[in-house]
Amino acid sequence: MLVSNRLSLILLIFCGVFGAKTDEIKTISVKTGDCVVLHTGVREINREKQILWLFGAEDPDTLIAEIYKLSISIYDTYEGLKDRLQMDQQTGSLTVRNITTSHSGLYMAQIMNSMTTFKRFSVMVYGPVSLPVIESSSQVSECLISDGGFSSAVMCSAENGPEVSLSWFKGKERLNQTSSPDLSVTLSLPLEIKDRNNDVFHCVAANPVSNKTTQFSFQEHCPLNTG
Ligand SMILES: *[C@@H]1O[C@H](CO)[C@@H](O)[C@H](O)[C@H]1NC(C)=O
Ligand SMILES: *[C@@H]1O[C@H](CO)[C@@H](O)[C@H](O)[C@H]1NC(C)=O
Ligand SMILES: *[C@@H]1O[C@H](CO)[C@@H](O)[C@H](O)[C@H]1NC(C)=O
């Protein structure tokens, strides 16, 4: 019992912990590799209580874990999920370790005692975004020759993915932003600059759980020809 308590404490520290009210879907966004704890809200399981955990990409229609008569069963029903699952002996809460994008979907606890209640979780797993690339296109090299009175478009690109957006920032100010529901395209966003200046611009690729930044400045990308 002491060991189990200590284990739950460790899980609380290292995993994102989430609870949901009955019959309200709680949406959770996590990164691939994260550890997620889905809480039943149950304090202590007795012999009579049965808890089923169901999962599905669209509907929670497949039984993945269960506790009944104080005995836990984890089922090998979903590709690669069984080895990542752990159910808490006292609360029936479900831990998913090292989660991957294929484990995005709906998780539901069906808690059965004298009456049945449900806890639903919509878990969205996102991979890391790619590092934005500033294209050293001909436009950028033009800055070497056409200093003053030119209008240049510096292009920033990044791989698309679920809910990825690409933005140009000057300090905290967002200058422009793009995104596309078509995941097969590469996101590109021009930064329109009228004059050579000393500003530092940031191109940021972001999804709900991560972001990556590449910096652009004339000083760095097209230094003045001093020779
Ligand atoms: C996490 O899952 C990935 C993909 O299945 C696997 O390659 C990796 O070894 C796992 N990492 C750990 C720490 O289990
Ligand atoms: C924002 O980006 C679009 C292309 O995605 C471009 O047509 C537009 O001129 C840009 N706006 C500004 C203010 O830079
Ligand atoms: C990028 O992520 C950091 C945390 O890692 C966050 O503080 C920051 O606001 C994010 N920036 C953008 C533009 O989303």
Side-chain angles (χ1 to χ4, degrees):
M1 195 59 94
L2 192 64
V3 171
S4 140
N5 274 338
R6 193 167 297 158
L7 186 64
S8 338
L9 188 66
I10 291 168
L11 289 179
L12 285 179
I13 294 167
F14 290 108
C15 297
V17 174
F18 304 94
K21 288 206 192 101
T22 301
D23 267 21
E24 164 190 298
I25 299 184
K26 167 132 186 132
T27 302
I28 298 161
S29 298
V30 293
K31 289 198 283 289
T32 51
D34 276 358
C35 170
V36 179
V37 180
L38 305 176
H39 266 253
T40 56
V42 173
R43 288 244 185 83
E44 183 99 53
I45 289 171
N46 54 33
R47 277 196 77 76
E48 288 70 50
K49 196 167 266 174
Q50 182 178 16
I51 298 178
L52 307 179
W53 276 101
L54 298 108
F55 169 71
E58 309 283 328
D59 282 306
D61 51 12
T62 308
L63 184 63
I64 54 170
E66 157 180 47
I67 187 163
Y68 185 49
K69 294 192 173 22
L70 301 176
S71 158
I72 292 172
S73 307
I74 309 275
Y75 299 106
D76 197 4
T77 40
Y78 251 91
E79 184 72 31
L81 190 54
K82 181 177 188 244
D83 297 339
R84 298 163 201 271
L85 293 182
Q86 197 172 336
M87 199 170 173
D88 187 283
Q89 186 81 42
Q90 278 174 26
T91 63
S93 296
L94 189 74
T95 300
V96 189
R97 292 169 183 291
N98 190 20
I99 198 162
T100 74
T101 50
S102 57
H103 307 128
S104 280
L106 289 159
Y107 291 78
M108 183 174 79
Q110 187 172 339
I111 303 158
M112 294 177 285
N113 214 359
S114 47
M115 57 183 269
T116 299
T117 57
F118 299 93
K119 294 277 160 109
R120 293 173 223 265
F121 302 87
S122 171
V123 177
M124 298 297 300
V125 186
Y126 299 92
V129 289
S130 76
L131 186 69
V133 174
I134 311 270
E135 272 168 45
S136 53
S137 64
S138 56
Q139 283 115 316
V140 175
S141 41
E142 264 172 42
C143 59
L144 293 168
I145 48 168
S146 59
D147 190 25
F150 75 108
S151 170
S152 176
V154 175
M155 194 61 84
C156 179
S157 310
E159 281 169 36
N160 200 6
E163 289 177 62
V164 170
S165 69
L166 191 64
S167 312
W168 274 109
F169 283 89
K170 184 171 128 187
K172 292 215 179 323
E173 182 196 356
R174 191 196 300 268
L175 302 173
N176 208 347
Q177 183 177 25
T178 189
S179 61
S180 171
D182 181 358
L183 301 186
S184 67
V185 302
T186 299
L187 295 177
S188 302
L189 190 64
L191 168 69
E192 315 277 356
I193 317 173
K194 295 283 182 291
D195 295 299
R196 184 182 181 94
N197 56 51
N198 295 327
D199 294 333
V200 175
F201 300 92
H202 293 100
C203 183
V204 181
N207 69 12
V209 299
S210 72
N211 64 58
K212 289 208 176 93
T213 299
T214 301
Q215 173 172 311
F216 172 84
S217 69
F218 281 98
Q219 279 73 8
E220 194 186 330
H221 286 80
C222 18
L224 282 172
N225 192 344
T226 53

